[in-house]
Amino acid sequence: MTNYTVVSAKLPDQLYKELALRIPEGERSTFIREAILEKLEKTPRPDKIFQLEQSLNKLTKDVNKIKDTLAQLEILTHETGKINPHIFCIDDTDTKLINRLIDHRGATTTELAEFLETNRWLVLNRLRKIEKASKKQLGKSIIEYYPGVRAKKRKAWWIKEDMIET
């Protein structure tokens, strides 16, 4: 035998009059109970929503990992006319340089060397290799050195945002 709990609800007068008109007095409680059950069947359970959300997040991470791997293998370019700048990276140092340029739009060789905790000649040589490789493959370089002042930085390297996907 099922135990029942009494629930009270405030209904607008118009709705109550309609309920009283359509449903006989002895059957109203059953009608309301069935209406609530019917509505609950259509509403997903919170634990199911949480499980679906976790599954979706895991799936998104997996897809992003696959995209990154394909981009590193130079198989995938996400947007037409735009290139993944990481395909020109040889190792982790190059990847950090590109990520720093993307995050800050540009940086001086000294700033990049301090960020990587290395000497600026290594940074300069790496940037030149990336510049040369991208120019050879694309016909244009994805990074550029600008000796003048731009965005309050003088003699800095800049990523060409119109060429790369973010």
Side-chain angles (χ1 to χ4, degrees), residues 49-66:
I49 292 173
F50 182 69
Q51 289 174 349
L52 287 172
E53 187 176 335
Q54 284 182 325
S55 296
L56 183 61
N57 287 340
K58 184 181 180 307
L59 185 62
T60 304
K61 286 179 185 176
D62 290 345
V63 168
N64 286 338
K65 187 175 180 180
I66 290 169

Side-chain angles (χ1 to χ4, degrees), residues 73-115:
L73 295 172
E74 299 181 21
I75 296 173
L76 177 69
T77 302
H78 299 290
E79 293 181 38
T80 308
K82 297 204 175 197
I83 191 81
N84 181 351
H86 294 97
I87 64 172
F88 302 107
C89 299
I90 298 170
D91 60 7
D92 194 42
T93 303
D94 289 352
T95 303
K96 288 178 183 177
L97 284 171
I98 291 295
N99 287 340
R100 184 73 174 194
L101 287 175
I102 291 171
D103 291 343
H104 293 87
R105 296 181 59 209
T108 65
T109 310
T110 306
E111 290 172 344
L112 293 169
E114 288 172 1
F115 170 71

